[in-house]
Amino acid sequence: MKAIEQASAAVDRVCLTLAKLALGAMVVTVLLQIWARYGFDFPFTWTEELARYLMIWAGLLGATCAFKRKLDPRVVTPKETGSATLRWTRLGISALAIGIFLLPVLYYSFYGPNMNFERGFLWRSSNRFSPGLGVNMALVGSVVPLSCGIILLHLLAQITERKQR
């Protein structure tokens, strides 16, 4: 097993653990909100916001795990049979489609128009704080480029794994 495949597997284990923790924390937070709202007639102001942010993290980290396991939604699921050329063509088309989608997301996470760092998504988010929790919104939004990078790591591992066959 190559280093890139080991790194992909290790990152996948961490992502799966974090996604599970975020999902569990989201459930507990929503239950706390329900309990406070209907049990005490005094809802907390921060629970709905925390549940929303945990849902974002759980969803995007879970998406990386689904991609690693090839369980992500697909328009066409190609068979793994066929000639080596056909398999490489399928992988190339898949990699191209993933790159077309993820590379602009990564670029605009850090840079805005004219490669202006201050107009990038994360920089603009760092100037805002959530109203209920007071959390810097760049912390919440940082999962977007993180998950894109992880998916690209998993794609690279798929390519190197395919080369060994």
Side-chain angles (χ1 to χ4, degrees):
M1 186 180 257
K2 289 187 175 184
I4 192 79
E5 294 168 26
Q6 290 174 337
S8 174
V11 167
D12 181 61
R13 282 191 299 275
V14 170
C15 285
L16 187 60
T17 302
L18 290 176
K20 287 177 181 179
L21 288 172
L23 196 58
M26 183 182 76
V27 168
V28 169
T29 304
V30 169
L31 289 175
L32 179 64
Q33 172 72 3
I34 293 168
W35 180 57
R37 178 173 287 160
Y38 298 111
F40 295 121
D41 199 27
F42 184 76
F44 299 117
T45 58
W46 54 269
T47 52
E48 192 171 322
E49 193 172 292
L50 179 61
R52 186 179 325 125
Y53 300 151
L54 289 169
M55 180 182 64
I56 292 166
W57 274 81
L60 288 175
L61 290 174
T64 66
C65 297
F67 179 82
K68 169 80 173 163
R69 291 164 179 76
K70 298 180 182 173
L71 296 173
D72 52 326
R74 295 171 183 229
V75 176
V76 176
T77 305
K79 296 178 182 176
E80 292 295 321
T81 60
S83 67
T85 306
L86 184 61
R87 288 195 310 260
W88 274 104
T89 304
R90 287 184 195 133
L91 183 61
I93 292 170
S94 178
L96 181 66
I98 291 164
I100 287 171
F101 178 73
L102 292 184
L103 293 175
V105 173
L106 269 174
Y107 175 82
Y108 286 107
S109 291
F110 298 105
Y111 298 104
N114 299 323
M115 289 197 64
N116 187 347
F117 184 73
E118 292 178 352
R119 293 188 64 193
F121 169 70
L122 288 177
W123 185 266
R124 286 181 291 123
S125 296
S126 70
N127 296 322
R128 297 187 350 231
F129 291 87
S130 66
L133 292 170
V135 173
N136 190 316
M137 294 305 290
L139 177 65
V140 177
S142 64
V143 73
V144 173
L146 179 68
S147 62
C148 289
I150 292 169
I151 288 173
L152 289 174
L153 172 71
H154 292 329
L155 178 63
L156 190 59
Q158 285 178 11
I159 292 169
T160 59
E161 178 184 328
R162 187 74 54 118
K163 275 187 175 181
Q164 290 179 352
R165 290 184 195 172

